Amino acid sequence: MSFYRNAVWFVKGLQEYTKSGYEAAAKHFSAADLEVNLSGRSFMVTGANSGIGKTTAQEIANRGGTVHMVCRNKDRAEAARNEIVELSKNQNVHVHIVDMSSARQVWEFAQSFSQNNTIHVLINNAGCMVNQRELTDEGLEKNFATNTLGTYILTTALIPALKKAEGPRVVTVSSGGMLTQKLNVDDLQSEKGTFDGTMAYAQNKRQQVILTERWAAQHKEIHFSSMHPGWADTPAVQSSMPSFHAKMQGKLRTQAMGADTVLWLAVSPAAAKQPSGLFFQDRKAVATHLPLASSRSSPQEEEKLLAVLEEFAQKFKP
């Protein structure tokens, strides 16, 4: 079944996830959707010093929004901030140094941020694809710790602050790769069988989509969405998937194309009118499963995912 899913997904990707797929979809976009003044609104973007995160932060700053860049590397973050400020002439761009793979660090940051700042929109963009199985200092598999648990802790810790804001939103940058995966709650840290970083990453991205659906059902005051940016030419793709990057060169989307739907979901009035909890591609809600792919999980499996994540979250809470 996984061979079927991968084959169907790759054919779909060549048609839809590439630069030409974006160009076809963009013919139906409304430019007015992004003509917004974001003055007075506060946005947090994780993984904001490069790729889609940096492009999104830049576009928000260009429109007058306050940007909180959550990054791991101080030097790269400061350099990115300076560039964003210079291009946007917006001084309301702030850097926060946080390692999203450290559950305790994420907790500490979210708690102190909530006490001192307002937040209208959270953009969960930070992610990693580690191709060798690697444990964090807290003993967690690194892809899971960053992509799933870090996202879970940051989002749930910021929900009370988001509920105090007007028109709050949470946008999670997932991946179309999640379509190749059925949720596997019995091996969240990829301990069984041969480790495959690409598969672990896709599994994490499936988990993010499920979390988005669950949060939307639990917290009606907040607009939640997840999305697939398409196959974009980013530093992360170059370093994590060098052979895919080399093979697809010329077909990959630009970073701006990858960031377009993130920005649309975060700022446009049109996106807020969509139901909460959906998965988007090129400004449209799309299916979260391939046809006949047997990738749906049961409510019990999804409940178990949330229970395990909450258990981990409480374990590392300061």
Side-chain angles (χ1 to χ4, degrees), residues 39-297:
S39 178
R41 283 181 74 75
S42 173
F43 297 77
M44 182 184 292
V45 185
T46 66
N49 64 357
S50 71
I52 287 167
K54 183 184 173 191
T55 302
T56 303
Q58 180 73 66
E59 292 294 339
I60 290 166
N62 291 350
R63 290 164 175 78
T66 296
V67 182
H68 293 278
M69 302 170 63
V70 176
C71 307
R72 190 181 54 196
N73 183 298
K74 191 173 192 298
D75 292 342
R76 290 216 301 266
E78 292 292 354
R81 180 205 175 264
N82 293 341
E83 198 179 313
I84 289 168
V85 168
E86 192 178 330
L87 290 171
S88 66
K89 305 293 182 267
N90 179 351
Q91 293 294 326
N92 292 322
V93 181
H94 312 278
V95 166
H96 307 271
I97 303 304
V98 185
D99 182 348
M100 289 297 296
S101 74
S102 166
R104 191 171 291 276
Q105 262 192 56
V106 175
W107 262 122
E108 287 169 351
F109 164 67
Q111 288 172 335
S112 73
F113 184 90
S114 297
Q115 286 163 10
N116 304 306
N117 302 276
T118 305
I119 178 170
H120 294 87
V121 181
L122 167 62
I123 299 170
N124 289 312
N125 167 73
C128 73
M129 188 193 292
V130 179
N131 288 311
Q132 301 292 323
R133 191 169 188 276
E134 192 182 314
L135 300 185
T136 66
D137 293 343
E138 294 167 335
L140 301 170
E141 191 275 315
K142 196 160 192 177
N143 292 298
F144 168 77
T146 308
N147 302 328
T148 304
L149 186 60
T151 299
Y152 176 83
I153 292 173
L154 184 63
T155 306
T156 51
L158 290 175
I159 279 173
L162 283 158
K163 284 183 177 177
K164 289 177 192 163
E166 189 186 336
R169 306 186 194 188
V170 175
V171 181
T172 298
V173 180
S174 178
S175 166
M178 68 93 190
L179 292 167
T180 65
Q181 294 293 305
K182 179 183 189 294
L183 176 67
N184 180 4
V185 273
D186 298 321
D187 190 23
L188 290 175
Q189 298 200 62
S190 311
E191 293 164 288
K192 300 172 185 174
T194 309
F195 181 78
D196 180 330
T198 309
M199 214 163 83
Y201 176 83
Q203 179 69 213
N204 299 157
K205 294 296 165 179
R206 166 64 71 190
Q207 292 155 11
Q208 289 179 341
V209 169
I210 291 167
L211 286 175
T212 297
E213 292 168 349
R214 288 296 178 130
W215 286 327
Q218 289 167 2
H219 306 285
K220 306 286 190 192
E221 312 94 312
I222 302 171
H223 189 278
F224 289 89
S225 55
S226 58
M227 59 78 67
H228 173 40
W231 293 341
D233 192 348
T234 65
V237 170
Q238 289 173 36
S239 61
S240 302
M241 306 173 74
S243 59
F244 173 80
H245 183 263
K247 244 183 268 176
M248 296 300 292
Q249 207 133 35
K251 292 189 176 72
L252 297 176
R253 297 180 174 201
T254 64
Q255 291 177 28
M257 290 173 178
D260 177 81
T261 296
V262 185
L263 185 68
W264 183 81
L265 287 167
V267 309
S268 78
K273 291 175 185 156
Q274 295 277 334
S276 185
L278 300 180
F279 177 67
F280 288 82
Q281 175 189 312
D282 294 333
R283 303 193 192 182
K284 265 173 51 183
V286 293
T288 54
H289 299 276
L290 294 168
L292 309 173
S294 305
S295 55
R296 292 178 194 279
S297 42

